[in-house]
Amino acid sequence: MSQDTSRNQDRIARTSLGTGGPEVGVQGLGCMGMSFAYGPTDAAEARATLERALELGVTLYDTADMYGMGENERFLAPFVSAHRDEITLATKFGIVLDPDDPAKRGVRNDRPYIRQCAEASLRRLGVDVIDLYYMHRRDVNVPIEETVGAMAELVEEGKVRQLGLSEVTGAELRAAHAEHPIAALQSEWSLFSRDVERTAVPAAADLGVAFVPYSPLGRGFLTGAFTDAGKDLTEDDFRRRMPRFTGENAEANAALLEPVRKVAGDRGITLGQTALAWVHQRAERYPGLSVVPIPGTRKRSRVEENTAATRIRLTDGELALLEPIADRVAGGRYADMAFTSAGRE
């Protein structure tokens, strides 16, 4: 077998990013950790990871203006320039950081701010158009129709191709979609986080909106990479501030990994592959729903592991073993759940 044939067999399948959306690999790449939030990073290895992901058929690359206050967009710019016609580029606006204290966050969705953010992202990324532009978080003081209307102006001007939303409820998605077609909804969805199944996922399936699960590996917890963020991770890792990853919550949640370990051990796969395979198969319960998880990594070996999970099928028995986990998780996804769809349902 030639090397080219072997590489083609490793490439992931493709799907459409929502009704009428571009065709992308069935798994994308979250790029945040390459320059923000998860402690020290190796820039050279992160660049090599971007290239390896593309070789494996990953074409949806996800960033945001708040990741390192623009640093992640600047980091991606050379890769984007080299492969512009091969990838679908997604970025976001809406979360406002305090330069003096990045732990402090606000939200803005007003028209002048949206335009300011879009122009800045275009400059940092070195592109003329953003393929998928997300509202990162909902500002409840601004009608969502007004926010989406402002985003739609960017589409009309050719600065953005398609619109996305993040962490909105089913009702909010329907209201937004009535104003302008929404291509994708991005929210946390994993073995540990299934609140989106109440209204957001069904609404996306009904409207033909793609669902883009972020943190499908529970920010690394589902891989067994750490058991207590307060003890195992560096001081600058923001997971140390997330309730479910520290103290008694972390201890309780670590015990929930036992069914994942059993499935992985019996199948000869990793915990992370088990968790990702679950996300891909869970989507099948919603007819017509296109799902493109975006596990984040900055290592080539991990992107190879993650993409291989798209070819794993869990049995009904294995799915039943994993089913109870989410209902038993201790602690919220964030200290302040008001920033999430679950906090508004």
Side-chain angles (χ1 to χ4, degrees):
M1 182 183 296
S2 70
Q3 185 176 18
D4 287 344
T5 301
S6 176
R7 287 197 172 194
N8 286 336
Q9 287 183 339
D10 289 341
R11 290 177 67 85
I12 61 177
R14 297 174 72 83
T15 188
S16 63
L17 195 65
T19 302
E23 193 176 73
V24 297
V26 294
Q27 194 174 105
L29 182 63
C31 300
M32 178 181 78
M34 293 180 174
S35 50
F36 175 71
Y38 290 159
T41 186
D42 180 335
E45 177 63 17
R47 292 189 189 97
T49 299
L50 294 170
E51 297 287 348
R52 182 63 178 134
L54 187 59
E55 289 177 352
L56 292 166
V58 173
T59 58
L60 177 62
Y61 291 78
D62 184 272
T63 183
D65 61 0
M66 60 85 66
Y67 297 162
M69 296 186 177
E71 183 56 35
N72 195 237
E73 290 179 325
R74 285 187 286 268
F75 175 80
L76 287 176
F79 172 77
V80 172
S81 176
H83 302 287
R84 190 65 189 99
D85 296 336
E86 303 171 77
I87 68 171
T88 296
L89 177 63
T91 192
K92 316 177 197 73
F93 74 91
I95 297 180
V96 184
L97 296 182
D98 183 338
D100 298 322
D101 184 1
K104 292 182 179 179
R105 300 183 179 188
V107 179
R108 283 186 65 180
N109 289 174
D110 55 280
R111 178 176 270 101
Y113 185 72
I114 293 169
R115 181 164 294 277
Q116 170 190 328
C117 289
E119 297 287 357
S121 287
L122 287 166
R123 287 194 301 273
R124 286 189 293 263
L125 289 162
V127 297
D128 297 323
V129 59
I130 296 164
D131 299 320
L132 177 59
Y133 199 42
Y134 286 103
M135 179 191 78
H136 206 166
R137 291 294 187 271
R138 170 90 201 278
D139 179 354
V140 295
N141 297 310
V142 180
I144 198 162
E145 295 87 351
E146 183 177 319
T147 298
V148 173
M151 295 169 71
E153 292 174 3
L154 298 172
V155 177
E156 294 167 4
E157 295 169 13
K159 295 177 180 179
V160 169
R161 290 197 171 101
Q162 292 190 300
L163 304 183
L165 303 174
S166 180
E167 289 287 359
V168 298
T169 67
E172 290 167 344
L173 176 60
R174 292 181 188 280
H177 194 72
E179 180 70 24
H180 186 279
I182 302 298
L185 169 57
Q186 180 179 139
S187 290
E188 188 166 349
W189 195 12
S190 73
L191 279 170
F192 265 25
S193 301
R194 291 174 52 182
D195 52 81
V196 292
E197 294 179 14
R198 290 199 292 268
T199 68
V201 172
D206 186 43
L207 297 170
V209 174
F211 203 96
V212 179
Y214 73 80
S215 298
L217 296 173
R219 301 191 185 278
F221 198 87
L222 284 164
T223 71
F226 66 97
T227 56
D228 187 328
K231 298 176 181 177
D232 301 338
L233 304 179
T234 58
E235 289 289 341
D236 55 350
D237 193 310
F238 92 132
R239 288 171 290 186
R240 293 168 62 96
R241 301 193 298 272
M242 307 189 90
R244 63 177 48 166
F245 299 141
T246 56
E248 292 182 355
N249 286 345
E251 183 178 356
N253 293 335
L256 297 178
L257 295 182
E258 287 311 307
V260 187
R261 293 185 193 281
K262 176 170 175 48
V263 172
D266 289 348
R267 291 291 293 272
I269 58 180
T270 68
L271 276 70
Q273 287 176 325
T274 304
L276 284 172
W278 180 89
V279 174
H280 283 286
Q281 274 180 254
R282 185 70 184 171
E284 296 173 4
R285 298 196 177 197
Y286 303 90
L289 182 66
S290 171
V291 172
V292 184
I294 51 169
T297 186
R298 46 201 180 188
K299 296 180 180 179
R300 283 168 287 181
S301 60
R302 290 298 187 190
V303 83
E304 290 166 357
E305 175 186 324
N306 293 345
T307 53
T310 66
R311 295 183 286 276
I312 295 170
R313 292 289 302 180
L314 301 177
T315 67
D316 289 344
E318 289 166 339
L319 292 170
L321 194 63
L322 300 172
E323 178 66 23
I325 293 175
D327 288 338
R328 300 173 182 171
V329 173
R333 295 197 271 127
Y334 297 93
D336 182 1
M337 290 292 285
F339 285 91
T340 71
S341 59
R344 296 192 300 278
E345 287 188 328

